[in-house]
Amino acid sequence: MRICQCSGVEAFLLGLWVSVAATESGSTINVTGSYQGEVVLPCRASEQLVKRVYWQRTDGELEVAMAAYFKNGDRCTTCSPGYANRTSFTGDLAHGNYSLNLGNLSLTDEGRYNCVVQLHNAPVKHHNVQLKVIAQYSEPSINVTRLENRHPSKQAELTCSSQGGYPEARVRWVNITDNGTFPEELIQTETKVDALGLYVLTSILRVNASSDPIACHIITNMAKDVKKSSEVHLKEQCSEMFTNIAAATNLKMPSFLLCLLMSSPSLFVN
């Protein structure tokens, strides 16, 4: 932990104080920040009584995110290497606003922070903040990866993909006609984590082709966010695919008749 270049006595006292402060607790404020964005961690106190202030990370190895010292009007600031050039006091220190601005957020910034306010001839005050970091998922997209054309069941396989999000989300497949959801036994969802710690979602739905439009939704509970894909119309997909088949095989039968045959098992003759 790197301490600001004040006197040796002050540095020693701060190191001792950091260790003691970590054992004390108080009410906690929950704050949410966006990945690679900025967030303000609030902290206010009576400016007349303040001797010194600093912010520290308290849920792991003790780290100083930002510190300010007040003595005869002098002030100096410092932070641990991981917070260099990313933190600043965003409020008016002279009027008791010691809120911390933390920029270029990464997933490792998620955790518990403590604003420690040392007062003259009064107990030390602690302002605890729990920081959550979220990242927005990309707009989900759907691909029809397979449409069985050899069996009258007309089974379609739809793949929904979305990435770059945090925390982990869930996928919901929706029948747009009645806003109903598909049963879990028809769905296979895979979740991976990329090199940055962000989630990559892939979900496969296997259903019989119908005229009902289908969409997939990415649900993130923490962000209270729902991202919706464009609607897929399997009948249109069927028509397009058989048009391509007809063109490739020089079939003279119109593609819409081919699709009609595949969508109507009763038309097949044994």
Side-chain angles (χ1 to χ4, degrees), residues 171-235:
V171 180
R172 181 173 64 194
W173 287 92
V174 180
N175 184 325
I176 301 301
T177 300
D178 60 6
N179 203 36
T181 57
F182 290 88
E184 291 297 324
E185 57 266 25
L186 301 179
I187 301 169
Q188 180 181 350
T189 300
E190 181 181 47
T191 302
K192 295 183 179 180
V193 179
D194 65 17
L196 298 175
L198 302 174
Y199 286 97
V200 179
L201 303 179
T202 304
S203 184
I204 297 175
L205 171 68
R206 294 180 177 88
V207 292
N208 291 336
S210 72
S211 59
D212 294 330
I214 297 174
C216 70
H217 297 173
I218 307 298
I219 315 283
T220 308
N221 292 333
M222 181 181 296
K224 297 180 180 179
D225 181 46
V226 178
K227 286 193 175 295
K228 302 179 180 180
S229 71
S230 299
E231 299 175 7
V232 170
H233 298 261
L234 290 179
K235 288 295 186 182

Side-chain angles (χ1 to χ4, degrees), residues 51-204:
K51 182 178 181 182
R52 71 181 78 181
V53 176
Y54 70 89
W55 279 90
Q56 68 176 14
R57 180 80 177 265
T58 60
D59 57 349
E61 181 181 354
L62 291 175
E63 296 179 308
V64 174
M66 179 61 74
Y69 302 79
F70 304 90
K71 183 178 180 181
N72 300 324
D74 295 332
R75 179 186 307 165
C76 63
T77 58
T78 188
C79 60
S80 296
Y83 297 97
N85 303 316
R86 296 201 300 131
T87 55
S88 62
F89 285 103
T90 188
D92 186 349
L93 299 181
H95 292 86
N97 186 348
Y98 307 107
S99 299
L100 181 72
N101 185 84
L102 177 58
N104 193 23
L105 289 176
S106 68
L107 300 185
T108 58
D109 289 322
E110 188 173 78
R112 187 179 179 88
Y113 294 78
N114 185 222
C115 175
V116 183
V117 181
Q118 184 181 21
L119 306 174
H120 290 279
N121 301 319
V124 173
K125 289 189 175 182
H126 302 275
H127 300 261
N128 299 312
V129 178
Q130 184 70 37
L131 173 62
K132 298 291 185 182
V133 177
I134 62 172
Q136 296 294 326
Y137 283 84
S138 63
E139 180 177 345
S141 60
I142 296 179
N143 292 317
V144 179
T145 56
R146 185 185 66 195
L147 185 61
E148 295 287 1
N149 57 7
R150 298 179 182 177
H151 192 280
S153 66
K154 317 162 300 294
Q155 188 178 73
E157 183 175 281
L158 290 74
T159 302
C160 174
S161 303
S162 181
Q163 60 275 330
Y166 185 88
E168 186 175 358
R170 56 192 177 91
V171 180
R172 181 173 64 194
W173 287 92
V174 180
N175 184 325
I176 301 301
T177 300
D178 60 6
N179 203 36
T181 57
F182 290 88
E184 291 297 324
E185 57 266 25
L186 301 179
I187 301 169
Q188 180 181 350
T189 300
E190 181 181 47
T191 302
K192 295 183 179 180
V193 179
D194 65 17
L196 298 175
L198 302 174
Y199 286 97
V200 179
L201 303 179
T202 304
S203 184
I204 297 175

